[in-house]
Amino acid sequence: MAVSLNHTEGLTDNLFHYCPGCTHGIIHRLVAEALVELEVLDRTVGICPVGCAVFAYNYFNCDMIEAAHGRAPAVATGVKRVLPDRVVFTYQGDGDLAAIGTAEMVHVAARGEKITIIFVNNTVYGMTGGQMAPTTLVGQKTTTTPSGRDAGVAGFPVKVAEMLAPMEGAAYVSRVAVNSPKNIRLAKKAVLRAFRTQLKGLGLSLVEVLSTCPTNWGLSPPEALRWLKENMIPVYPLGEYKIPEGDT
Amino acid sequence: MARVLMKGNEAFGEGAIRAGCKYFFGYPITPQSELPHYLAKRLPEIGGLYLQAESELASINMVYGAAAAGARVMTSSSGPGISLMQEGISYIACAELPCVIINVMRGGPGLGNIAPSQSDYFQATKGGGHGDYHLPVLAPASVQEIMDLMGLAFDLADKYRNPVMVMGDGILGQVMEPVELNSATEVSLIPKPWATTGTAGRETRNIVNSLYMEPEELEKVNLRLQEKYRLMEKGEKRWEEYRVEDAVVVLAAFGMVARIAKSVVDRMRSAGIPAGLIRPITLYPFPDEPFLKVLRTTKTFVVVEMNAGQMVEDVRLVVGYRRPVHFYGRTGGMLTTVAEVEARVREIWEGLK
């Protein structure tokens, strides 16, 4: 049988701590492969979030910084402004980026920081215990919306890709999902394009990745992938929301 | 030997540049505004960067990133903004990154006002953010001393891999005084092999972190940090003594208030009252030695501050109940006057007789 996947140099040998069926592992791999393929791994600095991916520094085989909740884009700004020829990315969940880190997220886009944000959206606070996130769907049950998110009480989902794409400093904004082999391939393309956008110095690049949380959704891994497809994608449509001018 | 007239706030900026600082991230707040104004003009001239953040939270975290990348970096603010930075300062302290933070204090609590105050003493010297940590805190008393201490601030930050705070009050920030520009320290940057600059040319990855899930592991980190603070306490206490040799009444004051206290000492001495002054230059580590040294001759201490009595606690920690420790202070941005302090010290002196 042919081996279609080999270990990527972009990841360390450490075993992931993620729950079975969680797609963080796939997303890590896509980012790591992109850094290797672009031959920038040894000049990359990654910024970890707070939440499930808090230990990402154990996995990405490059220099890493652990940031406070939501502040990764500000930390990335500091690194990139001091070391403009390095590749700088943040890896953030929806609680990290779209709640406490809203200001930092919006303002790196406003400034057109030449960094890449990998934004993992699974509509829930994972590590903290399945509470409502800004991205939780209306009607979705979480530990803090036990009867389902009521928009009249808890408001509506925050749509990050749609929100940042119109900003002048955002050069590349796309939303992908990792629920099927086809979508994973498209996600890889988007990640590569995001880093290329940074290498060209065009402005902020952000890839929103729709991800699963079987544990907190209370679903089996296959059910979670189905739930993502049937419930998340209609609310969070996939596609490239902004591509750099002349970059087709 | 260049001698220029300069505002305190500008001296923080020029002193930083002369200490090799090329990066400033900040957010505007009164009464420290001339500092970012100055650096916004000066830093580009030397190939550095001034960047205005969207908040104090962002600016301190930009400092965190820049420090992790190996730069000499600074931010500045005043009380309410420094409060917002405490999260970042705690992270920076645990991640052991060097940076300098300027606090030009205004009246508080809350939004308070923009008048000069010294009410952030506790916040600066007792941690401020969450967890067990300390920052070296320097308290210059003149524009010249700001210039002289900025080099030390950056050197201490690098030496201990720790954030360092330099505190002034609104008057020190606003006052203009002549400054010798050649008095800045020689810049000799120490290597930072731990910096996250990309692994190229290095065998191992560098990770900047403040997360230790195992209690045993985190306790080890805390013990190492505490060891570092003991080293600071051993080697970095700084202070000025003024006419204390035979002083029976010893005043203690820091920053601009110490200059008022100095005038009071002179006036008491002219009236035949043996007064003296101890001026802590480092608020952390707190200089206990000068207080212990004068215990033999001193009958009483008077701490003068522009707050409700914060440094008075550190003086009491040193002096204990061996001598009375009195306090005189004004709050809310009210400046103490020489006459007011003198009246209080005379009252205490009369009580001694």
Side-chain angles (χ1 to χ4, degrees), chain A residues 154-202:
Chain A
F156 297 92
V158 173
K159 298 181 177 180
V160 170
E162 288 89 334
M163 186 177 155
L164 293 192
M167 299 190 72
E168 287 165 274
Y172 179 69
V173 178
S174 79
R175 183 184 287 125
V176 296
V178 286
N179 63 314
S180 69
K182 181 188 165 221
N183 277 345
I184 291 170
R185 277 195 295 276
L186 289 171
K188 173 70 175 296
K189 275 190 179 164
V191 171
L192 274 167
R193 199 166 192 184
F195 281 115
R196 280 203 195 98
T197 301
Q198 177 178 170
L199 288 165
K200 288 178 189 164
L202 300 174

Side-chain angles (χ1 to χ4, degrees), chain A residues 12 14 41-45 50 54-55 57-69 71 74-75 77-79 81-83 86 100 103-104 107 111 113, chain B residues 23 25 49 51-55 57-59 61-66 68-71 87 91 195-200 202 204-211 213:
Chain A
T12 63
N14 294 322
L41 187 66
D42 68 347
R43 58 181 176 106
T44 295
V45 181
V50 163
V54 73
F55 298 118
Y57 53 82
N58 286 331
Y59 310 132
F60 287 109
N61 195 14
C62 57
D63 279 3
M64 297 293 292
I65 300 173
E66 173 58 47
H69 201 188
R71 318 289 177 230
V75 174
T77 298
V79 176
R81 294 300 184 116
V82 170
L83 304 168
R86 307 303 202 279
I100 193 169
E104 284 80 0
H107 285 277
R111 289 194 301 270
E113 288 299 340
Chain B
Y23 299 91
F25 302 91
L49 171 82
L51 185 64
Q52 188 165 311
E54 66 273 23
S55 69
L57 286 166
S59 55
N61 281 283
M62 289 174 185
V63 166
Y64 178 99
E87 173 197 77
Y91 276 70
T196 47
T197 55
T199 54
R202 218 193 300 126
T204 52
R205 302 184 304 139
N206 280 345
I207 293 169
V208 168
N209 189 19
S210 67
L211 176 68
M213 287 301 282

Side-chain angles (χ1 to χ4, degrees), chain B residues 1 65 87 92 98 110 113 132 145 150-151 193 231 276 285 305 310 329 336:
Chain B
M1 190 175 289
E87 173 197 77
I92 294 171
N113 61 24
D132 275 319
E145 198 178 17
M150 286 307 291
L231 279 177
E305 301 177 80
Q310 299 191 15
T336 46

Side-chain angles (χ1 to χ4, degrees), chain A residues 82, chain B residues 11-24 39 42-43 46-49 66 70-74 98 100 147 149-155 158 184-190 192:
Chain A
V82 170
Chain B
F12 284 117
E14 186 58 34
I17 286 174
R18 279 160 193 268
C21 172
K22 283 175 71 178
Y23 299 91
F24 178 92
L39 286 175
R42 276 287 278 135
L43 279 169
I46 60 150
L49 171 82
R72 277 205 157 174
V73 56
M74 180 169 96
V100 172
M147 188 66 71
L149 288 181
M150 286 307 291
L152 174 69
F154 280 97
D155 287 348
D158 280 354
T185 52
E186 294 253 320
V187 180
S188 53
L189 302 176
I190 59 173
K192 297 176 175 174

